[in-house]
């Protein structure tokens, strides 16, 4: 919770800004509420005589003027005056697109909407919205007609609407290709890797983007690159981690890694300690509570084991994350993020899968089995992939082969979100993000 004194300081500052922008208006005499062409009904001569002889009362005159609102020169009533605290609360609950329009209302509103304190307040409310009204899903798609592209749709519509509409995300790339990869999202910002050697940050809601400095590495045979994107709250900084995995001289030596970190504050890359537990799978790191988490393959092929390794973005140190007790028959494990918590989808052959959630990051005893999902008999669908989101009713959204799938544990039913038939042929990736006012050009102005 933000301290109340901070709100008072901000709103008082906002009130001063508003007063500075208000120009004094000349005092105008009270005007009749009727039009100038209208006349009041005539009164009797006795009543007129009594009115002329009646002494004027200053008190009555002040009451009359208080009850009659002054009109402007064009005859319209002035806008109502609201406490700035109320304006702040109302605006912080609105969607980004509305706020972008409301910047034109006045200079104080424009300054408020651009203020870092307001941006963080708005972001926190967006992230805690159980209705998902301000959250969207990025879909990395491929189509025979249009080729590869990254599209966006409403998360709420996936859960509630029978048909889901999509819109294409624009980002600076010569040509979208199957090698364009969504690294992750954080506070409304999206990280995209293009052909593994170019990295972009963008806010799709604000339609702004930033290309990161070139690393000088190119895609090579026998090598691959894994990324991660997250937020370091200790210094109010966004960071991108690049893990370059290359094959050692001998096959028995497996893979080695070179790790570099990009900081938005410094706008440069620097090398840090390499992965100590092997190399990550091809999936991007999952951002949870200031850490990036990867499922890691053991350094040696013969010692096949899957561990979860986290990188603390503040300390830039590694540690192994303890996993839950999966039981007998546990197979492939895939990491995800549900409601800000690290989660693991563990498959048991082709019989069923379990989704485990770490309620308190770093505490093994907080691992909780969220749901057990039986494998669906839908032809062509063989394997569950990343968990994406859970609705307030408990329905879970998953990536499932080349599509998305919703499972309702209460009814034990599956359903597939319906997209326009020409939107795409299959899905490579999905990523949930929230709409935000976070900028790529003005960062860390107010700490």
């Amino acid at each position: 919770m933000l301290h109340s004194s901070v709100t008072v300081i901000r709103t008082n500052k906002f009130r001063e800004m508003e007063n500075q922008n208000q120009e004094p208006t000349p005092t105008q005499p009270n005007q009749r509420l009727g039009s100038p062409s209208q006349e009041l009904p005539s009164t009797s001569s006795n009543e007129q005589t009594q009115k002329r002889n009646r002494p004027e009362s200053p008190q009555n005159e002040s009451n009359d003027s208080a009850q009659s609102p002054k009109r402007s020169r064009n005859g319209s009533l002035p806008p109502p005056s609201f406490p700035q605290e109320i304006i702040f609360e109302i605006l912080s609950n609105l969607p980004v697109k509305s706020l972008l329009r409301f910047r034109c209302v006045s200079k104080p509103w424009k300054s408020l909407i651009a203020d870092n304190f307001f941006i963080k307040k708005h972001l926190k409310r967006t992230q805690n919205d159980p209705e998902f009204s301000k959250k969207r899903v990025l879909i990395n798609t491929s189509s025979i007609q249009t080729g590869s592209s990254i599209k966006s749709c409403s998360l709420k519509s996936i859960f509630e609407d029978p048909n889901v509409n999509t819109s294409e995300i624009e980002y600076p790339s010569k040509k979208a290709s199957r090698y364009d990869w969504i690294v992750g999202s954080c506070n409304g910002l999206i990280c995209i890797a293009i052909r593994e050697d170019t990295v972009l940050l963008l806010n799709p809601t604000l339609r702004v983007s930033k290309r990161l400095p070139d690393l000088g590495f190119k895609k090579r045979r026998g090598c691959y690159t894994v990324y991660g994107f997250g937020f370091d709250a200790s210094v109010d900084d966004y960071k991108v981690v690049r893990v370059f995995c290359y094959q050692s001289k001998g096959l028995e030596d497996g893979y080695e890694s070179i790790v570099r970190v990009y900081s938005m504050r410094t706008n440069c890359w620097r090398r840090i300690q390499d992965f100590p537990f092997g190399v990550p799978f091809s999936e991007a790191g999952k951002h949870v509570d200031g850490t990036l988490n990867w499922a890691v393959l053991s350094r040696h092929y013969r010692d096949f084991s899957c561990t979860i390794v986290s990188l603390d973005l503040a300390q830039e140190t590694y540690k192994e994350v303890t996993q839950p007790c999966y039981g007998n028959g546990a197979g492939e494990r895939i990491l995800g993020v549900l409601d800000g918590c690290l989660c693991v989808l563990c498959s048991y052959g082709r019989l069923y899968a379990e989704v485990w959630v770490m309620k308190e990051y770093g505490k093994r005893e907080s691992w909780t089995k969220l749901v057990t999902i039986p494998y669906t008999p839908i032809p062509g669908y063989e394997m569950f992939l990343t968990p994406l989101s859970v609705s307030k009713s408990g329905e879970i959204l998953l990536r499932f082969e080349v599509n998305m799938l919703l499972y309702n544990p209460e009814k034990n039913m599956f359903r597939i979100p319906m997209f326009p038939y020409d939107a795409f042929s299959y899905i490579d990736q999905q990523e949930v993000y929230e709409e935000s006012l976070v900028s790529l050009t003005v960062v860390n102005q107010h700490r």
Side-chain angles (χ1 to χ4, degrees):
M1 294 291 294
L2 297 172
H3 199 276
S4 59
S5 63
V6 178
T7 304
V8 172
I9 292 172
R10 293 286 178 173
T11 52
N12 288 340
K13 176 183 176 183
F14 180 61
R15 189 179 293 113
E16 293 175 4
M17 295 165 59
E18 187 179 47
N19 292 335
Q20 291 175 2
N21 288 273
Q22 288 180 347
E23 298 181 358
T25 55
T27 305
Q28 298 183 13
N30 292 337
Q31 300 177 357
R32 288 180 179 176
L33 297 179
S35 63
S37 61
Q38 292 177 337
E39 296 183 358
L40 296 175
S42 60
T43 57
S44 63
S45 59
N46 292 336
E47 291 176 349
Q48 294 177 0
T49 303
Q50 291 176 3
K51 288 182 178 180
R52 285 195 299 269
N53 295 333
R54 185 182 304 154
E56 294 183 358
S57 173
Q59 182 177 1
N60 292 337
E61 183 178 1
S62 62
N63 290 338
D64 292 339
S65 62
Q67 295 175 0
S68 302
K70 293 184 179 182
R71 288 177 175 266
S72 61
R73 292 179 180 177
N74 59 6
S76 61
L77 291 174
S81 177
F82 294 104
Q84 304 310 320
E85 293 84 356
I86 296 180
I87 294 177
F88 184 95
E89 291 298 313
I90 293 175
L91 292 181
S92 62
N93 280 289
L94 296 179
V96 173
K97 291 183 180 179
S98 298
L99 293 173
L100 296 180
R101 294 196 302 268
F102 292 160
R103 290 182 301 182
C104 302
V105 171
S106 66
K107 289 183 179 179
W109 279 36
K110 183 178 180 180
S111 299
L112 173 66
I113 294 170
D115 184 80
N116 197 54
F117 177 80
F118 177 84
I119 291 174
K120 290 183 177 180
K121 180 75 171 182
H122 179 268
L123 176 63
K124 186 175 181 180
R125 291 190 168 178
T126 298
Q127 293 172 336
N128 295 332
D129 178 21
E131 301 295 332
F132 303 142
S133 58
K134 302 170 188 175
K135 292 189 177 184
R136 300 185 66 82
V137 180
L138 284 178
I139 309 173
N140 196 352
T141 69
S142 295
S143 172
I144 298 176
Q145 292 81 11
T146 60
S148 299
S149 64
I150 297 179
K151 299 181 181 295
S152 171
C153 66
S154 167
L155 177 59
K156 183 177 181 180
S157 67
I158 290 179
F159 282 109
E160 298 182 1
D161 298 340
N163 297 295
V164 183
N165 293 320
T166 64
S167 58
E168 188 162 347
I169 297 294
E170 297 180 359
Y171 60 96
S173 177
K174 293 182 179 179
K175 184 179 180 181
S177 74
R178 60 187 299 267
Y179 297 108
D180 294 357
W181 203 250
I182 301 171
V183 175
S185 67
C186 181
N187 297 342
L189 301 183
I190 309 299
C191 181
I192 298 177
I194 301 176
R195 298 170 185 84
E196 293 191 12
D197 53 18
T198 301
V199 184
L200 296 175
L201 295 180
L202 66 149
N203 184 326
T205 310
L206 299 181
R207 295 185 177 181
V208 294
S209 63
K210 176 184 178 67
R211 177 172 175 167
L212 305 193
D214 191 5
L215 271 170
F217 287 103
K218 300 297 181 181
K219 185 177 176 63
R220 290 181 284 177
R221 182 185 294 263
C223 305
Y224 67 96
T225 303
V226 177
Y227 289 94
F229 173 56
F231 181 65
D232 179 3
S234 66
V235 290
D236 219 16
D237 191 15
Y238 292 90
K239 295 182 177 180
V240 178
V241 177
R242 183 183 191 272
V243 185
F244 179 71
C245 304
Y246 62 95
Q247 197 168 11
S248 300
K249 293 181 180 179
L251 182 62
E252 66 278 5
D253 295 327
Y255 278 82
E256 301 289 342
S257 66
I258 297 175
V259 183
R260 284 182 167 83
V261 174
Y262 167 85
S263 165
M264 187 180 289
R265 288 175 65 92
T266 61
N267 192 36
C268 66
W269 296 90
R270 55 189 176 80
R271 185 169 179 177
I272 63 171
Q273 178 189 354
D274 299 336
F275 254 82
F277 301 100
V279 292
F281 289 131
S282 58
E283 291 288 330
K286 306 302 178 183
H287 177 249
V288 178
D289 196 23
T291 67
L292 289 173
N293 300 264
W294 286 272
V296 174
L297 180 67
S298 174
R299 188 182 302 273
H300 301 285
Y301 284 119
R302 296 176 182 177
D303 181 24
F304 179 82
S305 62
C306 178
T307 59
I308 300 175
V309 176
S310 73
L311 171 64
D312 188 303
L313 290 175
Q315 302 297 324
E316 295 182 351
T317 56
Y318 302 91
K319 71 175 182 180
E320 184 176 347
V321 178
T322 56
Q323 300 183 56
C325 297
Y326 300 110
N328 297 328
E332 186 172 359
R333 278 150 267 179
I334 298 175
L335 299 187
V337 179
L338 289 177
D339 196 22
C341 297
L342 182 67
C343 71
V344 178
L345 186 145
C346 180
S347 295
Y348 294 80
R350 291 296 182 264
L351 301 175
Y352 62 93
E354 293 179 345
V355 177
W356 292 78
V357 177
M358 199 178 209
K359 297 287 187 179
E360 295 183 55
Y361 184 80
K363 294 185 178 181
R364 181 175 185 175
E365 61 274 13
S366 70
W367 279 110
T368 304
K369 185 164 64 173
L370 179 66
V371 63
T372 300
I373 309 173
Y375 267 92
T376 171
I378 300 176
Y381 290 83
E382 298 180 354
M383 185 175 178
F384 295 116
L385 295 174
T386 312
L388 296 170
S389 183
V390 178
S391 69
K392 61 181 181 179
S393 64
E395 194 172 28
I396 185 169
L397 175 65
L398 303 153
R399 181 187 167 200
F400 192 47
E401 290 292 341
V402 296
N403 209 322
M404 285 187 282
L405 188 70
L406 289 157
Y407 175 67
N408 189 322
E410 184 178 348
K411 299 179 181 179
N412 192 26
M413 291 179 57
F414 295 94
R415 62 186 180 95
I416 299 175
M418 300 303 296
F419 294 92
Y421 73 94
D422 58 345
F424 46 81
S425 301
Y426 61 90
I427 297 175
D428 290 323
Q429 280 182 287
Q430 302 90 12
E431 179 75 23
V432 176
Y433 74 100
E434 53 269 339
E435 296 179 322
S436 81
L437 293 162
V438 176
S439 173
L440 291 167
T441 56
V442 181
V443 180
N444 315 315
Q445 292 263 322
H446 309 279
R447 290 188 56 194

